[in-house]
């Protein structure tokens, strides 16, 4: 048995079936289509306008129906609304050779895995930066084919227990909040006279600089704020003010609330 989807297709690339062509799928497809190793992709037929636009843009095929998509794929991404995922998977025939990657937020592995038997099912949480191959994707449990497929659109972080995986998925909501934080700073710059385009570029590049220092520059994010923000500095003054306003603990409390909701599988 090959333990890798790429091995399975020595003459080409794995076929990834994208079941559910919505907002996330669009970003995943864009990322895969620009990857150095481009997997073969097959789109499900529903959401016709979006599927057709993607098919046209990237010369992709749309399957005539969901079962044909499964039959012709090695890896199947379930990018469906969470509340529809088990029902849709239950209505399809999978084989042992399939690897099913379920990206539904707040949906436990067991019901999806049972619905897709005898395939192997894993949970993953990619984000929209997959389109530029920068998604930090958490995965549970590890699987060679799933890891190879997801690594084409960013980094893959494997967890071997579902409980910790669910904690890690909260970074996917943090991802969304970072846009808001950056917009707040850029909006402030604009309101004080900086050109809007320049303000956004400045904030994005500053944020990229922080990421680069943590990932390549060897800086520890836990201590670097106070290395830069020493007492008597303007950075230090700002950190003290934010702390006094509980700005940082508000983030931890919000992360707790999101984790609790996602474990319930319900937003409200
Ligand atoms: N968006 C994100 O950034 C993000 C990030 C991580 C995880 N996720 C997860 O990814 C999944 C998709 O999210 P999304 O934001 O992309 O939602 P979305 O835009 O609503 O996409 C879901 C797609 O599935 C389609 N669909 C429904 N039933 C189907 C069926 N029987 N066969 C084929 N397609 C069907 C929907 O079509 P209709 O519109 O015609 O019903 C829709 O196009 C969710 O489970 C979500 O939790 C999303």
């Amino acid at each position: 048995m090959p333990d890798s989807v790429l091995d399975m297709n020595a003459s080409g690339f794995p076929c990834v079936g994208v079941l559910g062509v919505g907002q996330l799928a669009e970003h995943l497809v864009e990322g895969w289509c620009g990857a150095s190793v481009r997997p073969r992709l097959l789109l499900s037929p529903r959401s016709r306008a979006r599927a057709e636009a993607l098919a046209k843009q990237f010369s992709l095929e749309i399957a005539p129906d969901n079962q044909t998509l499964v039959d012709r794929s090695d890896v199947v991404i379930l990018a469906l609304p969470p509340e529809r995922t088990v029902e849709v998977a239950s209505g399809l025939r999978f084989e042992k050779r399939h690897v099913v990657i379920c990206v539904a937020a707040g949906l436990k592995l067991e019901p999806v895995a049972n619905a897709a038997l005898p395939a192997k099912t894993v949970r993953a949480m990619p984000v929209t930066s997959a389109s530029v191959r920068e998604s930090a994707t958490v995965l549970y449990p590890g699987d060679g084919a799933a890891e190879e497929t997801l690594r084409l659109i960013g980094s893959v972080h494997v967890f071997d227990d579902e409980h910790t995986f669910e904690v890690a998925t909260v970074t996917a909501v943090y991802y969304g909040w970072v846009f808001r934080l950056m917009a707040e700073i850029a909006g402030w710059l604009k309101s004080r006279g900086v050109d809007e385009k320049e303000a956004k570029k400045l904030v994005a590049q500053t944020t990229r600089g922080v990421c680069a220092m943590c990932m390549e520059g060897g800086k520890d994010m836990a201590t670097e704020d106070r290395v830069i923000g020493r007492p008597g500095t303007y950075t230090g003054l700002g950190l003290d003010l934010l702390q006094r306003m509980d700005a940082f603990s508000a983030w931890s409390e919000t992360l707790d609330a999101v984790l609790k909701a996602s474990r319930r599988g319900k937003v409200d």
Side-chain angles (χ1 to χ4, degrees):
M1 269 291 281
D3 62 354
S4 139
V5 135
L6 296 178
D7 293 346
M8 258 197 277
N9 293 277
S11 58
F13 299 121
C15 186
V16 178
V18 181
L19 187 37
V21 185
Q23 186 198 54
L24 178 66
E26 190 171 63
H27 289 82
L28 296 173
V29 167
E30 192 182 337
W32 279 317
C33 288
S36 51
V37 177
R38 177 175 164 161
R40 283 183 288 130
L41 291 168
L42 194 55
L43 307 179
S44 60
R46 188 156 148 168
S47 319
R48 196 81 209 169
R50 194 175 235 148
E52 275 174 3
L54 283 172
K56 189 164 171 220
Q57 188 180 355
F58 298 113
S59 306
L60 302 173
E61 211 184 321
I62 301 174
D65 54 69
N66 289 348
Q67 186 59 57
T68 306
L69 176 134
V70 170
D71 294 344
R72 290 181 48 197
S73 302
D74 305 303
V75 173
V76 178
I77 307 283
L78 297 180
L80 300 157
E83 67 280 6
R84 300 229 47 215
T85 301
V86 173
E87 173 205 334
V88 174
S90 300
L92 296 166
R93 287 181 312 280
F94 290 90
E95 296 171 35
K96 207 161 188 291
R97 66 184 177 85
H98 286 120
V99 173
V100 175
I101 303 177
C102 176
V103 298
L107 191 58
K108 298 267 185 259
L109 180 67
E110 195 183 356
V112 192
N114 286 340
L117 281 172
K120 176 170 182 186
T121 301
V122 296
R123 284 181 75 182
M125 198 53 57
V127 291
T128 56
S129 55
S131 63
V132 289
R133 291 168 295 286
E134 287 283 359
S135 173
T137 302
V138 294
L139 177 70
Y140 163 77
D143 173 84
E147 284 167 51
E148 280 176 84
T149 305
L150 294 169
R151 210 174 291 122
L152 296 173
I153 47 166
S155 60
V156 180
H157 309 262
V158 182
F159 292 85
D160 55 16
D161 75 280
E162 194 163 21
H163 200 77
T164 317
F165 164 82
E166 284 174 339
V167 174
T169 61
V170 181
T171 52
V173 299
Y174 161 72
Y175 166 77
W177 303 342
V178 174
F179 288 98
R180 178 65 251 148
L181 177 62
M182 289 167 67
E184 184 74 22
I185 314 287
W188 181 88
L189 290 170
K190 184 184 167 223
S191 73
R192 303 302 192 272
V194 179
D195 168 73
E196 184 177 3
K197 242 171 117 181
E198 197 54 43
K200 286 178 177 167
K201 256 202 268 179
L202 189 54
V203 172
Q205 181 55 48
T206 302
T207 310
R208 177 188 281 191
V210 174
C211 298
M213 288 303 274
C214 291
M215 297 178 74
E216 293 142 39
K219 297 298 181 190
D220 180 354
M221 65 180 79
T223 52
E224 194 59 17
D225 60 337
R226 288 295 177 183
V227 171
I228 298 166
R230 296 182 314 278
T233 64
Y234 296 113
T235 306
L237 167 75
L239 284 171
D240 290 343
L241 277 172
L242 285 165
Q243 213 142 20
R244 238 176 282 148
M245 288 188 274
D246 290 331
F248 303 117
S249 55
W251 284 65
S252 294
E253 280 171 37
T254 309
L255 290 164
D256 277 338
V258 169
L259 176 61
K260 208 169 149 196
S262 82
R263 286 209 164 120
R264 271 199 323 264
K266 264 193 175 162
V267 171
D268 41 24

